[in-house]
Amino acid sequence: DGEVASAVIAAGRMNDEIVEQLFDMYHQVRKAGLNIDYFPANFVVREGRLTYIDYECNPFMAEWDLLNWGIYYWANSEGFREYLSGGDITTINQSPESGLPLKAPFAEIVAGWVAKFGRDG
């Protein structure tokens, strides 16, 4: 039970508590040599607690980790609002077929989160 993280992002309700929990998960998973799927639809927020609800788990690859891939989705509030309302993947991805998030517009937000929560795994 809870609200899917993509809806929380779309509503502009991301906060440091959620981001800190996401980074805590990242550090634990990375320490184990793994990646999870950091796409926000794979997480639920309930009473301020972030829970991963997907079963995908892969060997660690930096290009698909939180810092190089997933975190950019979490910073894209307007894009998720448009994506959830109209289904246009280009509001969150570089292209429809890339599977890569838009990054440049969110570099400053992400840099702030990394500075605050991105301790060495």
Side-chain angles (χ1 to χ4, degrees):
D1 289 339
E3 188 173 14
V4 178
S6 50
V8 172
I9 295 164
R13 291 187 275 114
M14 281 297 295
N15 60 49
D16 278 357
E17 183 181 357
I18 294 169
V19 176
E20 183 175 19
Q21 290 176 64
L22 182 63
F23 270 82
D24 286 346
M25 284 184 201
Y26 164 70
H27 295 304
Q28 291 176 33
V29 172
R30 182 175 175 190
K31 187 175 181 178
L34 300 170
N35 269 344
I36 57 176
D37 187 344
Y38 293 102
F39 193 74
N42 295 322
F43 294 81
V44 167
V45 179
R46 180 176 181 204
E47 298 177 4
R49 180 99 175 121
L50 185 66
T51 302
Y52 182 61
I53 59 171
D54 191 73
Y55 290 101
E56 185 173 347
C57 190
N58 298 297
F60 181 81
M61 289 180 61
E63 69 182 295
W64 298 108
D65 75 354
L66 180 67
L67 303 181
N68 293 307
W69 182 80
I71 195 63
Y72 292 92
Y73 290 113
W74 294 77
N76 188 351
S77 182
E78 183 178 331
F80 258 98
R81 188 170 30 261
E82 292 177 27
Y83 172 65
L84 293 178
S85 68
D88 183 1
I89 195 75
T90 61
T91 64
I92 59 172
N93 277 358
Q94 294 175 21
S95 71
E97 48 291 311
S98 76
L100 298 173
L102 295 171
K103 290 185 175 185
F106 311 105
E108 188 174 322
I109 295 168
V110 168
W113 288 345
V114 171
K116 194 167 191 176
F117 305 113
R119 70 184 187 279
D120 228 337

